[in-house]
Amino acid sequence: MPNYVLLLSYVGTRFHGWQIQPNLRTVQGVLKQSLEKIFGENIKITGCCRTDAGVHAKEYVANFYTIKSLDTERLLKAVNSLLPEDIGVKRIWIQEGFNARYSVKGKVYIYRILNSHSRDAFLEPFVWRLPHKLNFSDMERASELFLGKKDFSAFTKRDDEDKNTIIELEEISLSKAEDLIEIRLRARSFLRYMVRRIVGSLVQLGMGKINMESIEAYLSRKRHCPYTAKAKGLTLEKVLL
């Protein structure tokens, strides 16, 4: 049985996340329907991670096994002809033993904030637009608190707190071009809501509503972070293979 690996992208605006959910439009569900039309068999797709409703992916990796075998170029053309415009498959290859959940070496997320009263229609679906002026320097300094191996249980969903919440955040960097702020984070894995709550806490700090000690309290598990940045600003930028 060939093991197909897909590199795809999607705009998350009209999806209820990656994972199949009853009666909801999800990326995994739409992709599964298209592949089953092509192969005429039940397809079980494994994704590299779950993304929340409204979150985008510039790169996402998935894999599936089939009984039938198709040339990868023919399959690429066939699946893209069936998929809606908000999902695109960039590349397909066969790699035995590859598991999208366990074989990837890391992920890079970028969160984008448009710190302006102005609205750019081309950016709007992919940014959290905040008119309140943010102190970029304070946010940049505070971001260093998250680097390294930490317990991020205060930054995940409470239902997930019994899971392994020790994550090594290998990179967090902030950049600013005019009114557009980008926050880049890299790690082998992330907890649910982790990136959005890190960003949420940095935004609150940038607005002067919390201080460095508040973030330190979250990281020491003295308090749970109550701030979650909007999903639309988050993009899974790259999957490290």
Side-chain angles (χ1 to χ4, degrees), residues 203-219:
V203 165
Q204 291 295 311
L205 182 137
M207 291 192 293
K209 295 186 176 181
I210 64 172
N211 54 27
M212 298 271 279
E213 288 72 24
S214 301
I215 293 178
E216 289 170 343
Y218 303 146
L219 288 168

PDB file of all heavy atoms in Angstrom, residues 203-219:
ATOM      1  N   VAL A 203      -0.024  41.238  23.620  1.00  0.00           N
ATOM      2  CA  VAL A 203      -0.851  42.378  23.226  1.00  0.00           C
ATOM      3  C   VAL A 203      -1.345  43.135  24.458  1.00  0.00           C
ATOM      4  O   VAL A 203      -1.314  44.369  24.511  1.00  0.00           O
ATOM      5  CB  VAL A 203      -2.035  41.917  22.351  1.00  0.00           C
ATOM      6  CG1 VAL A 203      -3.099  43.007  22.241  1.00  0.00           C
ATOM      7  CG2 VAL A 203      -1.542  41.528  20.956  1.00  0.00           C
ATOM      8  N   GLN A 204      -1.795  42.397  25.469  1.00  0.00           N
ATOM      9  CA  GLN A 204      -2.240  43.052  26.698  1.00  0.00           C
ATOM     10  C   GLN A 204      -1.107  43.848  27.333  1.00  0.00           C
ATOM     11  O   GLN A 204      -1.302  44.959  27.828  1.00  0.00           O
ATOM     12  CB  GLN A 204      -2.764  42.005  27.688  1.00  0.00           C
ATOM     13  CG  GLN A 204      -4.059  41.334  27.268  1.00  0.00           C
ATOM     14  CD  GLN A 204      -5.222  42.298  27.209  1.00  0.00           C
ATOM     15  OE1 GLN A 204      -5.454  43.061  28.136  1.00  0.00           O
ATOM     16  NE2 GLN A 204      -5.969  42.270  26.109  1.00  0.00           N
ATOM     17  N   LEU A 205       0.102  43.279  27.287  1.00  0.00           N
ATOM     18  CA  LEU A 205       1.270  43.996  27.806  1.00  0.00           C
ATOM     19  C   LEU A 205       1.568  45.226  26.956  1.00  0.00           C
ATOM     20  O   LEU A 205       1.885  46.301  27.472  1.00  0.00           O
ATOM     21  CB  LEU A 205       2.470  43.060  27.861  1.00  0.00           C
ATOM     22  CG  LEU A 205       3.765  43.664  28.423  1.00  0.00           C
ATOM     23  CD1 LEU A 205       4.443  42.700  29.378  1.00  0.00           C
ATOM     24  CD2 LEU A 205       4.731  44.036  27.309  1.00  0.00           C
ATOM     25  N   GLY A 206       1.471  45.066  25.636  1.00  0.00           N
ATOM     26  CA  GLY A 206       1.731  46.175  24.729  1.00  0.00           C
ATOM     27  C   GLY A 206       0.753  47.320  24.904  1.00  0.00           C
ATOM     28  O   GLY A 206       1.077  48.478  24.612  1.00  0.00           O
ATOM     29  N   MET A 207      -0.463  47.022  25.394  1.00  0.00           N
ATOM     30  CA  MET A 207      -1.457  48.055  25.657  1.00  0.00           C
ATOM     31  C   MET A 207      -1.327  48.618  27.069  1.00  0.00           C
ATOM     32  O   MET A 207      -2.079  49.509  27.457  1.00  0.00           O
ATOM     33  CB  MET A 207      -2.871  47.498  25.442  1.00  0.00           C
ATOM     34  CG  MET A 207      -3.190  47.195  23.991  1.00  0.00           C
ATOM     35  SD  MET A 207      -4.960  46.868  23.679  1.00  0.00           S
ATOM     36  CE  MET A 207      -5.172  45.322  24.557  1.00  0.00           C
ATOM     37  N   GLY A 208      -0.403  48.054  27.864  1.00  0.00           N
ATOM     38  CA  GLY A 208      -0.191  48.535  29.223  1.00  0.00           C
ATOM     39  C   GLY A 208      -1.183  48.001  30.232  1.00  0.00           C
ATOM     40  O   GLY A 208      -1.271  48.507  31.359  1.00  0.00           O
ATOM     41  N   LYS A 209      -1.917  46.938  29.877  1.00  0.00           N
ATOM     42  CA  LYS A 209      -2.940  46.399  30.782  1.00  0.00           C
ATOM     43  C   LYS A 209      -2.392  45.344  31.736  1.00  0.00           C
ATOM     44  O   LYS A 209      -3.003  45.062  32.765  1.00  0.00           O
ATOM     45  CB  LYS A 209      -4.109  45.842  29.965  1.00  0.00           C
ATOM     46  CG  LYS A 209      -4.848  46.922  29.184  1.00  0.00           C
ATOM     47  CD  LYS A 209      -6.079  46.372  28.494  1.00  0.00           C
ATOM     48  CE  LYS A 209      -6.849  47.494  27.801  1.00  0.00           C
ATOM     49  NZ  LYS A 209      -8.086  46.992  27.138  1.00  0.00           N
ATOM     50  N   ILE A 210      -1.263  44.715  31.373  1.00  0.00           N
ATOM     51  CA  ILE A 210      -0.558  43.807  32.277  1.00  0.00           C
ATOM     52  C   ILE A 210       0.926  44.147  32.195  1.00  0.00           C
ATOM     53  O   ILE A 210       1.345  44.923  31.334  1.00  0.00           O
ATOM     54  CB  ILE A 210      -0.804  42.311  31.941  1.00  0.00           C
ATOM     55  CG1 ILE A 210      -0.229  41.964  30.555  1.00  0.00           C
ATOM     56  CG2 ILE A 210      -2.284  41.959  32.026  1.00  0.00           C
ATOM     57  CD1 ILE A 210      -0.255  40.471  30.250  1.00  0.00           C
ATOM     58  N   ASN A 211       1.728  43.550  33.088  1.00  0.00           N
ATOM     59  CA  ASN A 211       3.165  43.807  33.078  1.00  0.00           C
ATOM     60  C   ASN A 211       3.950  42.502  32.969  1.00  0.00           C
ATOM     61  O   ASN A 211       3.350  41.412  32.864  1.00  0.00           O
ATOM     62  CB  ASN A 211       3.579  44.598  34.323  1.00  0.00           C
ATOM     63  CG  ASN A 211       3.120  43.916  35.608  1.00  0.00           C
ATOM     64  OD1 ASN A 211       2.961  42.690  35.657  1.00  0.00           O
ATOM     65  ND2 ASN A 211       2.894  44.702  36.654  1.00  0.00           N
ATOM     66  N   MET A 212       5.265  42.593  32.999  1.00  0.00           N
ATOM     67  CA  MET A 212       6.129  41.416  32.871  1.00  0.00           C
ATOM     68  C   MET A 212       5.840  40.415  33.993  1.00  0.00           C
ATOM     69  O   MET A 212       5.885  39.204  33.783  1.00  0.00           O
ATOM     70  CB  MET A 212       7.592  41.836  32.918  1.00  0.00           C
ATOM     71  CG  MET A 212       8.027  42.766  31.802  1.00  0.00           C
ATOM     72  SD  MET A 212       8.623  41.918  30.325  1.00  0.00           S
ATOM     73  CE  MET A 212      10.298  41.534  30.810  1.00  0.00           C
ATOM     74  N   GLU A 213       5.546  40.925  35.177  1.00  0.00           N
ATOM     75  CA  GLU A 213       5.284  40.050  36.321  1.00  0.00           C
ATOM     76  C   GLU A 213       4.035  39.190  36.079  1.00  0.00           C
ATOM     77  O   GLU A 213       3.961  38.039  36.542  1.00  0.00           O
ATOM     78  CB  GLU A 213       5.112  40.870  37.607  1.00  0.00           C
ATOM     79  CG  GLU A 213       6.400  41.472  38.152  1.00  0.00           C
ATOM     80  CD  GLU A 213       6.927  42.632  37.317  1.00  0.00           C
ATOM     81  OE1 GLU A 213       6.110  43.286  36.605  1.00  0.00           O
ATOM     82  OE2 GLU A 213       8.152  42.880  37.345  1.00  0.00           O
ATOM     83  N   SER A 214       3.065  39.731  35.352  1.00  0.00           N
ATOM     84  CA  SER A 214       1.859  38.960  35.023  1.00  0.00           C
ATOM     85  C   SER A 214       2.217  37.756  34.162  1.00  0.00           C
ATOM     86  O   SER A 214       1.750  36.641  34.392  1.00  0.00           O
ATOM     87  CB  SER A 214       0.850  39.843  34.289  1.00  0.00           C
ATOM     88  OG  SER A 214       0.475  40.948  35.062  1.00  0.00           O
ATOM     89  N   ILE A 215       3.065  37.979  33.154  1.00  0.00           N
ATOM     90  CA  ILE A 215       3.479  36.883  32.274  1.00  0.00           C
ATOM     91  C   ILE A 215       4.302  35.861  33.054  1.00  0.00           C
ATOM     92  O   ILE A 215       4.139  34.648  32.879  1.00  0.00           O
ATOM     93  CB  ILE A 215       4.255  37.438  31.063  1.00  0.00           C
ATOM     94  CG1 ILE A 215       3.307  38.266  30.186  1.00  0.00           C
ATOM     95  CG2 ILE A 215       4.888  36.297  30.252  1.00  0.00           C
ATOM     96  CD1 ILE A 215       3.956  38.903  28.984  1.00  0.00           C
ATOM     97  N   GLU A 216       5.166  36.329  33.925  1.00  0.00           N
ATOM     98  CA  GLU A 216       5.954  35.419  34.768  1.00  0.00           C
ATOM     99  C   GLU A 216       5.039  34.582  35.659  1.00  0.00           C
ATOM    100  O   GLU A 216       5.305  33.393  35.913  1.00  0.00           O
ATOM    101  CB  GLU A 216       6.948  36.216  35.613  1.00  0.00           C
ATOM    102  CG  GLU A 216       8.097  36.800  34.790  1.00  0.00           C
ATOM    103  CD  GLU A 216       8.943  37.783  35.574  1.00  0.00           C
ATOM    104  OE1 GLU A 216       8.470  38.272  36.636  1.00  0.00           O
ATOM    105  OE2 GLU A 216      10.072  38.074  35.133  1.00  0.00           O
ATOM    106  N   ALA A 217       3.936  35.175  36.125  1.00  0.00           N
ATOM    107  CA  ALA A 217       2.973  34.442  36.955  1.00  0.00           C
ATOM    108  C   ALA A 217       2.285  33.348  36.146  1.00  0.00           C
ATOM    109  O   ALA A 217       2.036  32.244  36.657  1.00  0.00           O
ATOM    110  CB  ALA A 217       1.937  35.401  37.532  1.00  0.00           C
ATOM    111  N   TYR A 218       1.987  33.628  34.865  1.00  0.00           N
ATOM    112  CA  TYR A 218       1.400  32.587  34.011  1.00  0.00           C
ATOM    113  C   TYR A 218       2.389  31.436  33.824  1.00  0.00           C
ATOM    114  O   TYR A 218       2.022  30.258  33.926  1.00  0.00           O
ATOM    115  CB  TYR A 218       1.024  33.155  32.634  1.00  0.00           C
ATOM    116  CG  TYR A 218       0.070  34.329  32.656  1.00  0.00           C
ATOM    117  CD1 TYR A 218       0.174  35.334  31.707  1.00  0.00           C
ATOM    118  CD2 TYR A 218      -0.921  34.429  33.621  1.00  0.00           C
ATOM    119  CE1 TYR A 218      -0.691  36.421  31.705  1.00  0.00           C
ATOM    120  CE2 TYR A 218      -1.798  35.513  33.632  1.00  0.00           C
ATOM    121  CZ  TYR A 218      -1.664  36.509  32.674  1.00  0.00           C
ATOM    122  OH  TYR A 218      -2.505  37.579  32.676  1.00  0.00           O
ATOM    123  N   LEU A 219       3.635  31.777  33.564  1.00  0.00           N
ATOM    124  CA  LEU A 219       4.647  30.753  33.295  1.00  0.00           C
ATOM    125  C   LEU A 219       5.003  29.940  34.541  1.00  0.00           C
ATOM    126  O   LEU A 219       5.455  28.799  34.433  1.00  0.00           O
ATOM    127  CB  LEU A 219       5.905  31.394  32.710  1.00  0.00           C
ATOM    128  CG  LEU A 219       5.774  31.894  31.263  1.00  0.00           C
ATOM    129  CD1 LEU A 219       6.955  32.774  30.879  1.00  0.00           C
ATOM    130  CD2 LEU A 219       5.641  30.719  30.298  1.00  0.00           C
TER     131      LEU A 219
END
